[in-house]
Amino acid sequence: PELGSLGTNVRVNAVSRAGERLVAVGPRGLVLVSEDLGQSWTQHQTPLSSDLVAVRFRSDKLGWAVGHDGVVLNTQDGGLTWVKQLDGFKAVERIKAYYDLDGPGAQALPEQMRDDLAHMVADGADKPFLDVLFISDREGFAVGAFNVAMRTLDGGQSWTPIIDKTENPLGYHLYSLALAGDDLYMAGERGLLRRWNASSESFETVETPYEGSFFGVIAKDRDTLFAYGLQGNIFRSADRGQSWTHLGVPGEASITSAALLPDDRLVFVDLGGRVLITADDGQTFTPLTGKRAMPYFGVTSAQDGRVLVVGRNGTDVISTPDQPDRTTRR
């Protein structure tokens, strides 16, 4: 079915660019595709009814979406059709087998992790994945609540648990993944920030000065990182996470998503309905005004200096300061 020019009153949890196309995901397996930079949307079928909370594309054709019930979906045609690669039942089976939870292999694990894994398996298939990111067409990661973390080396055909590779012994939620050059970062609860070490095949702790949750990381380059999250907090590092500066952001609404625009400006969105843009690495922020204030969950570039935001009440296309509103295209 076609949706109106703003996807009115349809909750949208995340959005990604797929070449010239925009692909958004939401509750009950919702996938929306826009061919006109967010002016109109078409719904496409998925093989499930679980809530989808994140979507990412490697190219204009190849993408993945993840969500509740341990689901991972793959598309190879730019979001028009989707195939389920993983769900919570398969994930629990993989965890149980990989860590040999019914056999002697489990005895080699630290006691806390052994208990956590046993609870994870006993609780069943309801674990939500909260983000997915592929660093090549073959190698990808999916992370989520209670330290659920999986890795694939074959494009998602098979997944291996890396729950013991996250340096997260207390089982904090893992909210998001991000690339900075070749560096892969993972952000989560209680100031958790990790960087993937490809040689040891494990995530290693990046120290941060913050004890609140990080909902995401965005990078301008390999060295320049922005970690953001609870109560409007944004921290910037210019040295690959060795030191951090707290940025003065107005307000205390939690920042949920960020995007790097083609002109190197950064845009942040929050649950208070604010869209903040910075052209000077966070020294100053300019608020942008959309047509429909709502809690925002995601943001991406929509070309021509515009940004597309998604949230509780649908989608909106917002012009940035040096791009005055043009007549809406149909």
Side-chain angles (χ1 to χ4, degrees):
E2 294 283 343
L3 294 176
S5 61
L6 295 173
T8 309
N9 296 326
V10 176
R11 179 188 173 103
V12 179
N13 292 328
V15 63
S16 179
R17 287 288 297 272
E20 300 299 301
R21 183 178 284 163
L22 291 168
V23 180
V25 299
R28 296 178 295 283
L30 179 72
V31 169
L32 303 174
V33 173
S34 176
E35 307 281 3
D36 56 10
L37 302 178
Q39 304 300 328
S40 63
W41 298 86
T42 305
Q43 185 172 350
H44 290 261
Q45 294 300 311
T46 57
L48 47 77
S49 59
S50 303
D51 290 357
L52 299 174
V53 297
V55 58
R56 304 260 198 163
F57 277 81
R58 279 280 304 161
S59 65
D60 59 344
K61 300 294 186 190
L62 187 60
W64 284 265
V66 296
H68 292 197
D69 304 315
V71 300
V72 178
L73 296 181
N74 171 241
T75 178
Q76 300 189 19
D77 59 9
L80 303 182
T81 60
W82 296 82
V83 174
K84 184 169 67 172
Q85 291 186 327
L86 186 67
D87 60 27
F89 294 105
K90 285 186 188 174
V92 165
E93 286 175 11
R94 293 292 300 126
I95 291 166
K96 195 172 177 180
Y98 184 79
Y99 295 109
D100 193 22
L101 294 183
D102 291 335
Q107 300 310 309
L109 297 169
E111 184 178 359
Q112 179 71 53
M113 177 164 290
R114 196 164 62 238
D115 290 347
D116 288 347
L117 289 169
H119 283 128
M120 197 177 284
V121 169
D123 288 345
D126 62 343
K127 308 295 179 296
F129 285 122
L130 302 176
D131 204 4
V132 60
L133 195 153
F134 274 68
I135 60 176
S136 72
D137 288 357
R138 306 283 290 170
E139 184 176 4
F141 298 78
V143 301
F146 304 107
N147 195 39
V148 172
M150 308 284 277
R151 178 185 181 214
T152 179
L153 295 174
D154 57 13
Q157 298 303 311
S158 62
W159 293 83
T160 301
I162 52 169
I163 293 163
D164 57 326
K165 309 284 191 183
T166 59
E167 290 198 359
N168 183 18
L170 297 180
Y172 294 146
H173 297 330
L174 307 173
Y175 289 122
S176 69
L177 297 158
L179 274 175
D182 292 332
D183 288 335
L184 172 67
Y185 288 89
M186 177 174 68
E189 271 189 302
R190 308 278 182 101
L192 181 148
L193 191 62
R194 305 286 185 265
R195 182 169 52 233
W196 180 251
N197 182 326
S199 57
S200 68
E201 296 198 329
S202 62
F203 281 99
E204 297 177 346
T205 297
V206 178
E207 297 293 343
T208 68
Y210 184 54
E211 293 185 358
S213 292
F214 284 129
F215 295 135
V217 174
I218 187 137
K220 287 191 72 170
D221 50 52
R222 188 167 184 259
D223 295 320
T224 312
L225 312 172
F226 299 79
Y228 56 86
L230 271 182
Q231 297 181 321
N233 281 289
I234 305 177
F235 292 82
R236 179 185 65 226
S237 175
D239 54 15
R240 200 167 164 254
Q242 292 183 68
S243 62
W244 296 88
T245 302
H246 185 249
L247 303 183
V249 180
E252 292 189 352
S254 293
I255 296 171
T256 52
S257 185
L260 178 66
L261 302 187
D263 60 9
D264 271 356
R265 290 183 297 171
L266 289 158
V267 179
F268 297 85
V269 298
D270 71 19
L271 292 179
R274 293 180 311 162
V275 182
L276 300 171
I277 189 167
T278 178
D280 54 16
D281 286 357
Q283 295 180 65
T284 58
F285 290 89
T286 301
L288 306 181
T289 304
K291 301 178 188 70
R292 18 193 7 230
M294 58 179 159
Y296 292 126
F297 306 140
V299 59
T300 193
S301 167
Q303 291 190 338
D304 297 336
R306 299 178 180 200
V307 296
L308 181 103
V309 292
V310 302
R312 190 174 67 190
N313 302 325
T315 72
D316 196 1
V317 181
I318 299 176
S319 296
T320 60
D322 56 357
Q323 289 286 335
D325 273 314
R326 297 182 176 88
T327 304
T328 299
R329 284 178 288 184
R330 288 291 177 187

